[in-house]
Every structure is written in C-alpha cells, then in structure tokens.
Amino acid sequence: MENSFLELHERLLIIMDEIHNICVDNNIHYSLAGGSLIGAARHQGFIPWDDDMDVMMPYKDYHRFCEIVFSQKHEWLEFKVAGRTKKFYHTILKAYDNRTTLIQKHTKDAYGIFIDIFPYVYVGNSRPRALFEYYFYRLFAAPLLRKTVTYEDKNIIKESIVTLIGKIIPASFCVKCIRWNYRRLCKKRTKYSTDLDGLTKGIVLTDYVENFKLVSFEDRSYYILEKAHDYLKSVFGDYMTLPPKEKRSPHLIDYLDLNIPYREYNNNSKQ
C-alpha cells in the first residue's frame, strides 16, 4: 500500500505542476489547501496517508483560471465544473488526469485522479453574517451536488429532501444562482472569508488568506498562504500534532487504477 501511495502522490504532483505553471504564467494567486496545506506545514510534502490534493484561490483569480483552462486544449489533463461541463454537477473545479481511473466513496461515476480547486470569497463583517452567507449558498449547491453524489451515512430524512429538491430544480438554475452569488460576494472586502463548499470551521479572517509565499513541497515548490499558521490554527486547531494511528488512513478511494484511462474503464464496465 505504501508503494501505491508513493505512485499516487507522484501522479498528483504532475497535475499540480500543471496548475502551478498556469498560475505563474498568468499571475494567478493560489495556495495549497486542506490536508495539502497541513502537509506543507507539517511534513513539507504530503501527509503520508493522504489520497488527494486541494488548492484554493481568491474568487477573482479562480474565475480567471477557469476562463484560461477552458479556452485551452490539454492532452491528458481535463478540467470539469458544473455549468461548463455537460452532466457534471460538482460545484468546484476539478483537474483530472484522464489516463487514470478513480472511483470515490459516495460517487456514482469513475473519473481520473484529480485535484480540487475551489474559490473563497468575502462573507461578511461578523460571524453571524458569514454563517448566513454560507447556508444561503448551500441552498443552491447542495441540491446540485446530490445529482451526482449520495451520502447514505448522513441524516436520511435530510438527504432524501435535498436529493428530491435536486431532482426537481434544473441544474442550470442552480448554476446561475451560484455564479450570481459569487459575483455579489466578491464586490467588497469584508472581515471574514471562506470556501463556501467547505465546512463552517473554514470561516476565517480575510487577513489570513490575502498573501502567499513559495515553499518546498516534496521535491517541488508551491504556493501556500503567508499566514498559513494562523489559518490552520483557526480551522484545525493543533494541526501540528499527528492524529491517532487508527485515523491515519485514506478517506477518499473506493477503487483506483493508475494505468487505465477512466473512459476505457467505463466502457468496459458497460459491456
């Protein structure tokens, strides 16, 4: 399993190299995020048992990044997001390696290994206002996501209602509302910012997410938040302490093959 993780990490780094180069070439700000940011701070690379990578961008940079990548053709790298990709309902941008196959827990379809790229936006000058903006966004994003993801281990009644709403409301309407909401929120700097697709603990002071620095990550260099310590402490608490051994395991993968293109896998599965 250790060797498999090493190979997975190396392939993820190849995707990350492409994202980094696009950002540098176009003066787009980004930072590693989530477990990748913890890994950069604590391990100077991947958390050894981590099975994915995350990137965050200020919304204006995220919007420019989307415009650039969807105007270009890539040989093995695919970018997908709801509203720009047919029958695709994830609300954050995903960068896939189409030479691989990955099936995630809770998902219905096979794609390649990927990196999540998500925007963060201003959400108000008080925590109550930030929480309001967070849940207001979820009114549109949650039903859209349920068109492709199932959460059987969560509240059955709540999930049934959200899934039903997702079947009734057209995806195009949800996407329009999400885009309108992002434009509205990014007009004026506020005290708090967050990734609306994350958890409420991700609501942080805007000051934490405004500047960036280049650091070592494995044998590469990527950008992270200049105030990564303040951000990570706010979101994760004592992030430098390793979790218990029983929690040091992958959380994402249901099936993985780094040598079969996901389209070939899907075609074979249907035969």
Side-chain angles (χ1 to χ4, degrees):
M1 188 67 179
E2 184 177 348
N3 289 335
S4 298
F5 265 101
L6 290 174
E7 187 178 358
L8 171 61
H9 288 169
E10 185 58 35
R11 298 292 289 271
L12 287 170
L13 288 173
I14 293 171
I15 302 175
M16 189 63 220
D17 288 342
E18 294 294 316
I19 293 170
H20 172 80
N21 291 336
I22 292 170
C23 289
V24 170
D25 290 346
N26 294 278
N27 195 30
I28 290 173
H29 299 104
Y30 81 86
S31 169
L32 297 179
S36 302
L37 184 55
I38 292 176
R42 193 170 68 200
H43 304 273
Q44 290 73 56
F46 285 101
I47 295 174
W49 56 90
D50 206 357
D51 52 9
D52 66 346
M53 289 189 77
D54 298 296
V55 170
M56 60 182 178
M57 299 176 182
Y59 177 72
K60 290 183 179 179
D61 290 275
Y62 173 87
H63 180 71
R64 284 183 54 227
F65 185 87
C66 288
E67 293 298 318
I68 290 166
V69 299
F70 283 106
S71 67
Q72 300 174 346
K73 288 186 177 180
H74 310 271
E75 182 181 353
W76 55 268
L77 188 60
E78 294 181 0
F79 292 93
K80 297 178 184 287
V81 69
R84 290 181 179 265
T85 310
K86 272 188 175 182
K87 296 182 180 179
F88 191 84
Y89 306 110
H90 287 280
T91 50
I92 57 176
L93 182 66
K94 290 178 173 281
Y96 291 98
D97 182 339
N98 65 21
R99 303 167 297 185
T100 64
T101 296
L102 169 69
I103 301 176
Q104 289 179 267
K105 295 173 182 178
H106 305 300
T107 59
K108 303 172 184 177
D109 302 308
Y111 291 102
I113 62 170
F114 64 90
I115 292 177
D116 282 333
I117 306 169
F118 54 84
Y120 57 87
V121 290
Y122 306 130
V123 285
N125 290 312
S126 67
R127 285 199 65 85
R129 181 68 190 189
L131 287 168
F132 168 82
E133 295 294 358
Y134 174 87
Y135 287 111
F136 180 70
Y137 169 83
R138 308 294 283 196
L139 291 176
F140 313 116
L144 181 64
L145 186 60
R146 292 319 187 278
K147 293 179 182 290
T148 192
V149 177
T150 56
Y151 295 107
E152 296 175 356
D153 57 339
K154 295 193 176 183
N155 185 292
I156 297 175
I157 296 175
K158 178 184 174 183
E159 284 302 307
S160 299
I161 293 172
V162 176
T163 301
L164 178 62
I165 294 172
K167 291 179 179 178
I168 295 172
I169 300 177
S172 58
F173 175 79
C174 293
V175 169
K176 285 180 182 178
C177 290
I178 288 170
R179 288 177 176 174
W180 165 81
N181 198 44
Y182 274 132
R183 291 194 299 269
R184 176 180 66 87
L185 291 173
C186 76
K187 286 181 179 179
K188 185 178 179 181
R189 184 189 186 278
T190 60
K191 182 178 179 180
Y192 292 99
S193 294
T194 196
D195 153 35
L196 291 170
D197 288 282
L199 302 175
T200 55
K201 67 180 183 179
I203 297 172
V204 298
L205 293 172
T206 296
D207 182 55
Y208 292 170
V209 294
E210 288 187 309
N211 297 297
F212 310 85
K213 63 181 179 182
L214 200 63
V215 299
S216 295
F217 190 94
E218 300 297 339
D219 58 350
R220 270 85 156 174
S221 293
Y222 298 134
Y223 280 95
I224 67 168
L225 300 173
E226 197 169 89
K227 294 188 176 182
H229 170 72
D230 296 315
Y231 174 87
L232 289 170
K233 188 176 179 181
S234 176
V235 177
F236 298 102
D238 183 16
Y239 66 92
M240 291 300 288
T241 299
L242 291 173
K245 285 187 177 181
E246 62 270 17
K247 292 188 177 181
R248 299 178 198 176
S249 60
H251 63 280
L252 179 77
I253 299 171
D254 199 34
Y255 175 85
L256 174 68
D257 193 316
L258 296 173
N259 300 306
I260 296 180
Y262 77 86
R263 287 189 177 85
E264 181 179 325
Y265 175 89
N266 286 335
N267 288 336
N268 291 338
S269 299
K270 293 174 183 178
Q271 292 177 359

